[in-house]
Amino acid sequence: MNLNKYNQIYQSLSSDIVEGKYETGEILPSEHKLLKSFGVSRETVRKALNLLQENGYIQKMKGKGSVIIYNPSMNLTVSHLISFKEVQEQQEKIYTTKVYSLEKIPAEECPNVQVSLNLSDQTPIWQLIRQRLYEDKTHIIDTDYFMYDMMPGLTEEIAAGSIYEYIEERLGHKISYSQKEITFSPMTELDIELFGPVQPPYTANVKSVVHLSDATPFQYNVSKHLTNEFKFVDFSRRFTGE
């Protein structure tokens, strides 16, 4: 079996799926059609299909074929410190951002934020809630808390664009690193209002505390995703000690 060939087939088919040539729920061409199309053996085609299934692009179903299960609405990274706008520039499927609310509140109203950002009770912070919509449906709810004194000029217009661009290019700060935690929880009343009725009524929550280059924590973020769409993808390599 030619390893380079099955990887080429995998790359070709996965690119077609991501770019929308095949939509969720559609059936890939049969193994027979694929082996004729690519000029390879059935074993090579099956190896490529197995790789597509392992990476969440298809589900092989007996008597039906290879069904596309890839969901373009949830193709986001949680492994890197990257703004939502920067994620969008890497994707074919584009979200829109809607600012639900932006208000100045005392840190004591949000104990978890207060502790994470090392704030006193009356320290002012921004509370920002944004919806990430794909085809007019909310798929992500981002709730952010920022140090008010760091960016007193924050507006809904800026929030609808790129806050990281605003912080780095207009305010001159350098964003350095974050600590992240993934949890799952029942939907709140606000979640149900913004997401709408979905099953199961749970969200996958990516919580982040983001630091500047001088190690100052300045942002607390909770990014809520629908559990039936959420997928965490990372790369791990076994260390053998050799």
Side-chain angles (χ1 to χ4, degrees), residues 7-27:
N7 273 297
Q8 290 172 17
I9 297 171
Y10 166 78
Q11 293 294 337
S12 176
L13 292 175
S14 62
S15 294
D16 286 345
I17 293 169
V18 170
E19 292 169 5
K21 181 176 179 180
Y22 302 106
E23 297 185 354
T24 304
E26 286 191 26
I27 310 295

Side-chain angles (χ1 to χ4, degrees), residues 190-217:
L190 179 59
D191 294 338
I192 295 171
E193 175 188 342
L194 299 184
F195 280 123
V198 295
Q199 293 296 329
Y202 285 79
T203 57
N205 314 308
V206 182
K207 300 179 183 179
S208 306
V209 177
V210 189
H211 301 249
L212 298 175
S213 58
D214 64 0
T216 300

Side-chain angles (χ1 to χ4, degrees), residues 90-154:
Q90 300 174 6
Q91 296 192 93
E92 295 291 329
K93 306 295 183 178
I94 302 300
Y95 290 77
T96 57
T97 295
K98 179 180 178 181
V99 177
Y100 177 81
S101 66
L102 173 65
E103 59 181 322
K104 176 184 174 183
I105 62 173
E108 64 181 347
E109 291 189 12
C110 305
N112 289 338
V113 177
Q114 182 179 356
V115 171
S116 297
L117 301 185
N118 301 318
L119 306 176
S120 61
D121 288 352
Q122 295 303 310
T123 300
I125 57 175
W126 285 116
Q127 181 188 64
L128 169 65
I129 302 176
R130 291 175 290 180
Q131 297 165 257
R132 312 297 192 175
L133 299 100
Y134 176 70
E135 296 183 345
D136 297 322
K137 179 184 176 184
T138 300
H139 287 264
I140 302 169
I141 300 172
D142 272 323
T143 301
D144 289 283
Y145 300 88
F146 294 98
M147 304 282 286
Y148 177 85
D149 290 343
M150 176 180 162
M151 53 178 85
L154 183 62

Side-chain angles (χ1 to χ4, degrees), residues 148-209:
Y148 177 85
D149 290 343
M150 176 180 162
M151 53 178 85
L154 183 62
T155 64
E156 290 193 9
E157 182 180 2
I158 293 171
S162 173
I163 291 182
Y164 277 17
E165 183 176 272
Y166 168 70
I167 291 171
E168 294 182 317
E169 296 186 9
R170 290 176 58 179
L171 300 183
H173 296 294
K174 184 176 180 181
I175 300 169
S176 184
Y177 65 94
S178 68
Q179 299 160 321
K180 298 190 179 187
E181 173 185 289
I182 300 174
T183 61
F184 296 84
S185 63
M187 283 188 170
T188 64
E189 290 185 6
L190 179 59
D191 294 338
I192 295 171
E193 175 188 342
L194 299 184
F195 280 123
V198 295
Q199 293 296 329
Y202 285 79
T203 57
N205 314 308
V206 182
K207 300 179 183 179
S208 306
V209 177

